[in-house]
Amino acid sequence: MSTSATVIDLLDAVRIRTASLAEAKQRYAAELAPDFNLVDHLRNNEVALSRYLGLLLDVKGVHGQGDLLLRGLLQRLERPGFEPQDLLRVELEKRTHSGRYLDIYLEFRGGVIGIENKPWAADQSKQLDDYAGFLQASARGGEWLLVYACNWEPSEASLSSDMREQLEEAGNFLRLDFLQIAEWLEESACFARAPKVRLFVEALNAYVRQQVNGEIDVSEAEQIKAVVLQKPEHLEAALKVAQSIDQVKTQLLAEFKHSLGQALEAEGLTLVWEDQALASGRALAGFGVKLNPGHQLTLRFEFGAARLNALEWGICRESAKVKVNAAKAEAVAGAMDSAFGVREHSLVWPWYTGTGAQDHVLRDDERNWAISAEPWLRISDKSEQGFVSRIVKLALEVRVALAGVDDAMR
């Protein structure tokens, strides 16, 4: 059998297995609800995730499990000097001396731990450097630790490699990835005595594994693994597919750029496309639509995380050189709030959806391009449900919504 025939045979086998699994799930949905996850239907953005983790780490929290979860986390941090019984308080969004907000702040009798939670968004300039300085000052000579909860390394702009090395040697900095966090949650759930707390921790673990780590459904993964290992030629074909998938995505992106650019041009709009950043899957890569040649603010779609994940959209400044004053930002925010609903506001993004926000433009399965096939199907879809048609329609709606505040866009 030729290589192409073997690949087709493998893909057909995977399709049949996963289709059978989907049918079985649907048949027993009433009894098992296999795709239901509590956290998916609560607030599930970065701020909410920090809140859930902070709640579980509080030894006096309403979860009633005492130091169970804090003890488990401290064991993973492996930093002597911090004991569960010495915890004084847990604070969320702790304001620092530089005006930033540290996601989770744990104060102990002998020191402090700060946790910067980055499931999707990228670092800001000097962010971790500032947090390190703040924690050192807050410790007042005691122990202190900055935990960077993220699946990738911090950027050089946020914390230089030299400074990171110094902090790590002193035991003041640790990167904790979300695989470790998921393992901590999974283990803690086993020992939670209250059923509803155990249910919540298990749901949070499943959410982290799927929405942050990009793991596919366990049962589906088992079915695919069984097909791949069924025959030696299936394994070989699977490896060839894996080697080619980046080239497939590159071609789909190029076709999307071409089709979207033509469609926007026909409406008097201009496509803004970041070739290098999108091709490399860099965090904060994006594309957008310039509604008017004189505007300094654009309609922008941006991936908050690496590998083209955590997609959100809004009105953003054209470049870092653009300074948006508060009055202009407020005018744009008001117009967008009226047309599309109240969302998040800032000077850089006068209006944006926010990661995890409910949105009529992007569905949840269209936000994380590294773990979902849906967006790749939509970018080549020529129908009204395809991304090209939907983005052009959105751009026209945004142009109408902002017509009355054109001066604020300049």
Side-chain angles (χ1 to χ4, degrees):
M1 185 181 291
S2 67
T3 299
S4 59
T6 304
V7 169
I8 292 171
D9 178 51
L10 170 66
L11 295 178
D12 280 343
V14 169
R15 177 182 56 79
I16 292 169
R17 284 287 190 102
T18 53
S20 298
L21 178 62
E23 183 180 348
K25 283 184 174 182
Q26 185 174 10
R27 182 174 299 174
Y28 296 103
E31 291 81 8
L32 303 177
D35 294 325
F36 178 79
N37 187 303
L38 177 65
V39 178
D40 286 336
H41 303 280
L42 302 175
R43 286 183 61 89
N44 54 17
N45 55 23
E46 182 178 313
V47 174
L49 182 56
S50 296
R51 181 186 177 194
Y52 302 148
L53 296 176
L55 167 71
L56 295 174
L57 291 172
D58 189 350
V59 298
K60 298 179 181 178
V62 293
H63 54 72
Q65 306 307 296
D67 66 5
L68 171 67
L69 286 114
L70 176 62
R71 187 175 356 104
L73 180 64
L74 291 177
Q75 288 172 354
R76 279 168 172 74
L77 299 183
E78 297 181 339
R79 290 299 188 274
F82 296 105
E83 298 294 337
Q85 65 269 20
D86 293 330
L87 181 70
L88 298 176
R89 63 191 175 103
V90 178
E91 189 172 341
L92 301 177
E93 295 292 301
K94 176 70 173 178
R95 185 179 175 87
T96 70
H97 55 261
S98 61
R100 300 183 192 271
Y101 292 89
L102 181 59
D103 291 324
I104 303 173
Y105 179 80
L106 306 174
E107 183 178 346
F108 295 80
R109 287 190 179 87
V112 295
I113 295 177
I115 302 176
E116 177 58 11
N117 177 35
K118 288 290 185 186
W120 303 291
D123 303 327
Q124 300 169 16
S125 177
K126 297 290 185 182
Q127 186 175 22
L128 293 180
D129 189 76
D130 285 351
Y131 289 155
F134 168 73
L135 290 171
Q136 183 177 22
S138 300
R140 297 185 179 87
E143 299 287 337
W144 66 274
L145 174 65
L146 172 58
V147 177
Y148 184 57
C150 189
N151 282 344
W152 53 91
E153 301 297 334
S155 69
E156 188 76 14
S158 178
L159 183 68
S160 70
S161 54
D162 289 343
M163 177 59 71
R164 176 180 175 176
E165 185 177 350
Q166 293 177 26
L167 293 177
E168 286 179 330
E169 287 180 356
N172 297 129
F173 180 83
L174 176 70
R175 184 176 75 87
L176 192 70
D177 64 41
F178 277 90
L179 176 59
Q180 294 169 289
I181 291 174
E183 290 171 348
W184 159 59
L185 292 170
E186 184 174 11
E187 181 179 307
S188 299
C190 294
F191 295 99
R193 296 173 63 185
K196 57 185 177 181
V197 174
R198 182 167 60 252
L199 175 65
F200 177 76
V201 177
E202 289 173 343
L204 188 58
N205 168 46
Y207 175 80
V208 167
R209 288 187 180 279
Q210 293 174 21
Q211 300 301 325
V212 180
N213 293 340
E215 299 178 23
I216 64 174
D217 179 83
V218 174
S219 54
E220 189 173 83
E222 288 296 322
Q223 293 295 323
I224 295 173
K225 183 176 71 174
V227 172
V228 170
L229 297 178
Q230 191 175 49
K231 304 176 184 178
E233 55 266 34
H234 277 189
L235 176 58
E236 184 179 358
L239 293 173
K240 289 184 182 298
V241 170
Q243 291 167 0
S244 303
I245 197 64
D246 285 342
Q247 295 177 24
V248 171
K249 290 181 177 181
T250 298
Q251 181 174 330
L252 289 173
L253 279 176
E255 293 173 357
F256 178 46
K257 175 187 176 182
H258 177 72
S259 299
L260 182 58
Q262 284 190 327
L264 290 170
E265 187 178 0
E267 299 292 345
L269 303 166
T270 304
L271 174 65
V272 180
W273 189 270
E274 299 171 359
D275 280 295
Q276 187 174 356
L278 288 167
S280 62
R282 196 167 63 218
L284 303 186
F287 59 92
V289 181
K290 193 152 187 173
L291 306 174
N292 184 297
H295 286 176
Q296 295 193 86
L297 296 176
T298 64
L299 169 64
R300 179 170 173 80
F301 292 80
E302 183 173 284
F303 295 95
R307 299 171 59 219
L308 304 185
N309 282 324
L311 180 63
E312 58 183 297
W313 69 275
I315 304 300
C316 183
R317 63 185 183 182
E318 186 177 42
S319 72
K321 297 178 181 179
V322 175
K323 303 299 181 185
V324 184
N325 65 48
K328 287 185 175 183
E330 186 176 351
V332 170
M336 291 295 289
D337 281 346
S338 297
F340 299 98
V342 178
R343 292 293 188 268
E344 305 290 338
H345 306 147
S346 76
L347 290 181
V348 174
W349 289 79
W351 186 97
Y352 65 102
T353 54
T355 305
Q358 295 300 310
D359 178 28
H360 75 285
V361 175
L362 293 172
R363 301 195 307 266
D364 287 343
D365 61 356
E366 296 173 339
R367 293 179 182 274
N368 295 318
W369 293 29
I371 62 176
S372 175
E374 193 63 26
W376 300 101
L377 296 173
R378 294 285 77 82
I379 65 177
S380 55
D381 185 348
K382 306 301 182 184
S383 73
E384 291 184 358
Q385 297 304 312
F387 276 165
V388 171
S389 296
R390 286 159 56 189
I391 290 173
V392 172
K393 180 183 177 184
L394 174 64
L396 295 174
E397 291 174 352
V398 171
R399 184 165 66 179
V400 170
L402 297 175
V405 292
D406 187 73
D407 287 346
M409 296 287 289
R410 297 178 182 276

